[in-house]
Amino acid sequence: MIASLRGSPQLISQIVIFESSNLVYAFIDWYEVGTFYVIDADVFDFVERCRKHTATGLLLGDLLETVRNLGFEHLILSGVPLGGQKLAPMVELNGWPTGWFERYVEAEHAAVDGVCIYSAKTLKPFLWAEVPAKWSDTEGSRRVAGEATEFGIRSGFAVPMLSVHHWQSVLSFASSQKNCSLSPRQQGQLVTMAVYAGMSIQALSNDDDGDEGPLTDREKEVLLWAAAGKTSSEISQILGLTERTVKWHSTRARQAFGVATTTQAVVEAVRRRLIHP
């Protein structure tokens, strides 16, 4: 079995304990992780609990409690806004300080925040300090970082992820520490927990949605023919509708996904497995 250690040592280990001939042996694999830590058993326990959570609030509280041992007090899981999309409707787990989230949304900081911008451009987990200067060293991004310190947010670690509900999602962990330092092992632990949290959110969302989905059958038909390269005029003839009605269904599909073009709506519908060209 895996034994969990608590405290704040400079050196910590995973201890694998096994019994043989009525004796207990322990193999200790020491590694330096600093003041904050979790061990692999904590991660596995969280993963197991993910399968049992029936509400997002329970999942959020569990994840916050677990990552606190790594020095993170806040987190947010959200779709990454693109093309003028608003952040608020895309948030799936909100563990940000209340005042900071409200200010961030009202000021539309997502459009200039280097962490948010970079999260749309990579699937590689990263420390906030690793965001390239072309996005982090702008006036807007520096302003966001400065305002965040007013709410005790100074550093962090982001885990971008593919998403069923958005073009891309990110789970961002925030710390009050000036410099967020994580070992490769700790980063791996955070990525594992982030991925399972994202999967759990998706499962809970699917349970809430039932079988209706975001598109009507007619909207799916229109997108399916658009995926085949048909114009609105051609689709109207195929489906026996007016061209105006076809365009209306295309508009409704774009609105359902929060995208700007019918091509983007087609890609999103395919990615969510709502249509199969």
Side-chain angles (χ1 to χ4, degrees):
M1 70 179 189
I2 306 296
S4 177
L5 300 182
R6 289 291 177 265
S8 297
Q10 292 303 307
L11 292 173
I12 203 66
S13 70
Q14 173 177 296
I15 302 183
V16 180
I17 300 177
F18 60 95
E19 295 184 14
S20 177
S21 302
N22 299 320
L23 296 175
V24 177
Y25 298 86
F27 171 73
I28 306 178
D29 179 20
W30 293 96
Y31 56 94
E32 186 171 358
V33 298
T35 303
F36 299 102
Y37 68 92
V38 298
I39 63 172
D40 291 343
D42 297 322
V43 178
F44 297 145
D45 287 345
F46 172 76
V47 168
E48 183 63 29
R49 292 192 300 271
C50 273
R51 302 169 184 170
K52 301 176 183 178
H53 288 313
T54 57
T56 57
L58 296 174
L59 176 63
L60 173 61
D62 191 353
L63 184 55
L64 278 170
E65 182 64 27
T66 304
V67 301
R68 190 168 288 116
N69 291 322
L70 285 170
F72 296 101
E73 300 96 347
H74 306 288
L75 63 87
I76 192 167
L77 171 60
S78 171
V80 181
L82 295 174
Q85 289 178 304
K86 301 297 184 181
L87 174 68
M90 306 177 76
V91 174
E92 296 176 307
L93 284 180
N94 185 3
W96 245 219
T98 301
W100 174 233
F101 179 73
E102 293 171 349
R103 181 186 297 188
Y104 193 97
V105 169
E106 182 178 358
E108 298 186 346
H109 280 333
V112 296
D113 180 8
V115 173
C116 186
I117 294 172
Y118 191 50
S119 295
K121 300 179 181 298
T122 183
L123 280 173
K124 180 181 178 181
F126 60 91
L127 294 167
W128 292 0
E130 296 174 339
V131 175
K134 63 184 295 185
W135 295 298
S136 65
D137 199 25
T138 65
E139 180 181 352
S141 188
R142 291 195 302 270
R143 182 175 67 254
V144 173
E147 290 182 13
T149 63
E150 299 175 26
F151 298 87
I153 294 178
R154 292 179 172 81
S155 62
F157 182 70
V159 184
M161 298 177 285
L162 294 176
S163 170
V164 170
H165 302 112
H166 312 289
W167 287 99
Q168 189 152 302
S169 291
V170 61
L171 203 164
S172 200
F173 301 96
S175 173
S176 59
Q177 300 177 81
K178 184 175 181 180
N179 296 306
C180 179
S181 178
L182 296 169
S183 69
R185 186 166 191 157
Q186 289 173 311
Q187 292 189 22
Q189 291 171 332
L190 286 169
V191 170
T192 299
M193 289 187 285
V195 169
Y196 272 90
M199 291 169 58
S200 297
I201 286 293
Q202 179 180 324
L204 289 171
S205 177
N206 289 341
D207 289 343
D208 292 340
D209 290 344
D211 296 327
E212 295 181 4
L215 300 178
T216 65
D217 289 341
R218 184 62 82 184
E219 289 162 1
K220 292 177 185 177
E221 282 185 305
V222 169
L223 291 185
L224 188 59
W225 285 111
K230 302 299 182 181
T231 65
S232 295
S233 177
E234 291 170 330
I235 295 172
S236 69
Q237 295 175 27
I238 293 169
L239 298 180
L241 303 171
T242 66
E243 186 174 352
R244 181 177 179 180
T245 299
V246 169
K247 290 181 177 179
W248 182 78
H249 286 302
S250 297
T251 299
R252 289 292 298 270
R254 293 196 300 270
Q255 291 173 342
F257 294 135
V259 297
T261 69
T262 298
T263 299
Q264 291 174 326
V266 168
V267 172
E268 187 68 9
V270 172
R271 192 170 64 81
R272 299 195 192 189
R273 298 178 178 84
L274 299 174
I275 63 173
H276 304 275

